[in-house]
Amino acid sequence: MNKLEVKRAGNAAEFSYDIIWEEGFEKLTEAIRSRKLAKGKICIISDSTVAELYLENLKEALQGLDTTITSFVFPAGEASKNLDTVKAAYSHLIEAHFERKDLLIALGGGVVGDLTGFTAATYLRGIDFIQVPTTLLAQVDSSVGGKTGVDFDSYKNMVGAFLQPRLVYMNMQTLHTLPDSQFASGMGEVLKTGLLQDAKFYGWTINHMDAIEERISPVLVKMVQKCCSIKAAIVEEDPKEHGVRALLNLGHTVGHAVEKLKNFELLHGQCVALGTIAAAYISFRRGMLTDEEFYEIRDMNVGFGLPITVDGLKSEDILQATKSDKKMEQGSIRFVLLDGIGHAVVSHEVTDAELLDGINCINGDLYDEN
Ligand code: NAD
Ligand code: GLY
């Protein structure tokens, strides 16, 4: 498989686009042309780190399209994922006379993808965009599914829109320049994906730990494709998160709280991995996971270079921060638990005491005190 179609037909929320896996940027021109996506100008949106590495390569690869190509580059990092950067992107597009028929390309990780998608969703009430994800996290999760948005003050993804990309094009070679910590962050979402839906894939991931950590290309391609097919099926069923899509938020309630309190000093996937341990602990205490399963979930983080505790935060503060997450519904938290490995379920009845228990389990300061 080097292509997967993400498709929903026959109602107002219909969409159809391909995810393509390649080992370079060269095939993107044909992919754009054959889908008739190059109707006008193109703006590549990227961050400073990715632009330095790949912007010229991509521009060169797109020369065959014979259209005006501009670029908008912002400083790398979560701190740029805000409305100020979106405003600067709008200014660039207005000054370059971008119209509704024109196209944006997100070249980068989840920050670039979320911000470009939101710009596309709102500029002139919506223009097309393509995802070209260059981090593991973006390839296995954020580039697929059409959630776009930015942070507001320190609130994660508080302002956003749903807009599916017209194409997701992955140059798998880009993973070879990714720093280890960013690769590990992507693994946080990979482990989450197996845990929530597919025990066999979760086991496969563990069995291929060495090859994954050595970034052996065919193994990475297989892993990314599996994550995308799991996510695509969920998004096709429930694009706007009225039901099953909520399962993709495994680890995110506590994860987002830690991310916020740590002022984005920890990476998104690291926080999701911590949040997944907390969720697994609550599940274990409810008898939904065995102790072996809980300890395996926790200890796999170590194998993949992910944290199992966070220092410098009070459990009570983490608990309070979960209350401002978007996953609240009529005052109660929509919390994702594990009813066995590979089977996530949503609960509205997780109490504060249970949450605190789960949070204490990842609070490194409590271990240091003993
Ligand atoms: P990121 O976009 O900040 O990228 C991480 C870092 O890696 C950046 O410094 C970037 O410049 C650098 N980088 C990117 N590609 C590189 C490469 N190939 N080689 C070297 N360096 C490279 O972070 P991320 O982890 O990709 O994404 C995290 C964001 O994604 C968060 O904001 C999170 O909220 C969001 N997210 C969104 C969804 C969604 O469904 N929309 C899902 C999960 C996460
Ligand atoms: N990352 C969660 C989602 O896409 O729904």
Side-chain angles (χ1 to χ4, degrees):
M1 167 170 83
N2 80 339
K3 198 173 99 173
L4 172 76
E5 189 182 18
V6 189
K7 185 175 174 142
R8 183 174 161 100
N11 63 32
E14 72 179 4
F15 52 79
S16 163
Y17 55 95
D18 287 328
I19 307 173
I20 297 178
W21 290 273
E22 293 292 349
E23 296 293 335
F25 291 122
E26 295 73 22
K27 304 252 172 74
L28 182 56
T29 293
E30 188 44 35
I32 290 176
R33 198 181 274 138
S34 62
R35 288 166 184 79
K36 300 188 175 29
L37 293 173
K39 288 172 271 181
K41 295 186 277 294
I42 293 177
C43 175
I44 302 170
I45 300 190
S46 194
D47 71 31
S48 47
T49 306
V50 180
E52 180 82 29
L53 288 165
Y54 298 115
L55 183 58
E56 284 317 309
N57 293 355
L58 181 59
K59 278 187 172 167
E60 211 175 308
L62 292 176
Q63 264 176 4
L65 286 175
D66 197 23
T67 184
T68 304
I69 300 181
T70 70
S71 52
F72 172 76
V73 177
F74 61 83
E78 183 77 27
S80 289
K81 197 175 121 173
N82 57 42
L83 289 172
D84 292 335
T85 312
V86 173
K87 188 174 171 216
Y90 292 150
S91 298
H92 173 89
L93 296 175
I94 291 166
E95 279 158 26
H97 306 290
F98 267 67
E99 300 170 19
R100 205 175 271 159
K101 66 179 188 315
D102 297 328
L103 179 70
L104 305 186
I105 297 182
L107 172 70
V111 167
V112 170
D114 282 9
L115 188 133
T116 306
F118 184 68
T119 305
T122 48
Y123 182 72
L124 294 177
R125 298 195 180 88
I127 65 174
D128 286 344
F129 83 113
I130 293 176
Q131 291 271 19
V132 182
T134 63
T135 62
L136 180 61
L137 183 141
Q139 292 188 353
V140 298
D141 193 348
S142 62
S143 64
V144 176
K147 271 191 185 175
T148 79
V150 293
D151 306 328
F152 188 81
D153 292 340
S154 58
Y155 295 100
K156 276 289 291 178
N157 301 330
M158 244 330 145
V159 180
F162 284 98
L163 179 69
Q164 300 291 337
R166 296 298 307 276
L167 173 69
V168 183
Y169 181 98
M170 304 196 191
N171 170 0
M172 297 305 288
Q173 286 298 317
T174 58
L175 291 185
H176 295 292
T177 55
L178 203 58
D180 287 345
S181 59
Q182 296 292 349
F183 188 83
S185 174
M187 285 309 299
E189 298 279 15
V190 173
L191 293 171
K192 174 205 86 172
T193 305
L195 279 172
L196 74 91
Q197 173 104 14
D198 192 328
K200 197 165 154 215
F201 173 56
Y202 181 72
W204 178 94
T205 308
I206 292 169
N207 290 335
H208 289 79
M209 184 185 282
D210 290 344
I212 292 167
E213 289 300 285
E214 283 166 37
R215 305 193 198 177
I216 308 286
S217 264
V219 177
L220 294 189
V221 173
K222 202 169 169 191
M223 180 177 82
V224 172
Q225 288 180 337
K226 186 69 191 171
C227 288
C228 288
S229 65
I230 292 172
K231 179 154 184 184
I234 291 174
V235 168
E236 284 167 352
E237 188 182 333
D238 178 25
K240 297 216 168 152
E241 202 171 303
H242 297 306
V244 69
R245 186 167 183 165
L247 299 179
L248 292 171
N249 296 326
L250 174 64
H252 281 61
T253 303
V254 172
H256 277 171
V258 171
E259 200 172 356
K260 176 183 172 194
L261 291 174
K262 278 288 183 186
N263 229 349
F264 301 111
E265 187 186 294
L266 283 176
L267 302 177
H268 180 73
Q270 294 173 325
C271 297
V272 168
L274 288 167
T276 301
I277 297 176
Y281 187 70
I282 298 169
S283 308
F284 156 61
R285 291 295 297 260
R286 284 190 173 201
M288 296 160 72
L289 288 176
T290 64
D291 56 352
E292 286 91 357
E293 287 171 330
F294 165 70
Y295 284 114
E296 180 182 78
I297 291 169
R298 191 193 67 168
D299 295 344
M300 271 324 125
N301 275 15
V302 180
F304 286 105
L306 288 160
I308 58 172
T309 56
V310 57
D311 293 334
L313 295 180
K314 290 198 175 75
S315 296
E316 272 295 342
D317 293 344
I318 301 177
L319 177 67
Q320 278 318 309
T322 63
K323 311 283 181 199
S324 57
D325 197 66
K326 297 188 302 312
K327 285 167 274 301
M328 293 289 284
E329 250 174 24
Q330 290 167 354
S332 81
I333 282 189
R334 198 171 37 143
F335 198 88
V336 185
L337 294 170
L338 284 172
D339 194 7
I341 286 180
H343 189 219
V345 291
V346 170
S347 170
H348 289 87
E349 281 124 28
V350 173
T351 63
D352 280 2
E354 284 179 293
L355 261 174
L356 206 52
D357 233 11
I359 291 166
N360 282 339
C361 166
I362 57 161
N363 186 339
D365 292 347
L366 297 181
Y367 294 89
D368 294 344
E369 279 167 16
N370 295 326

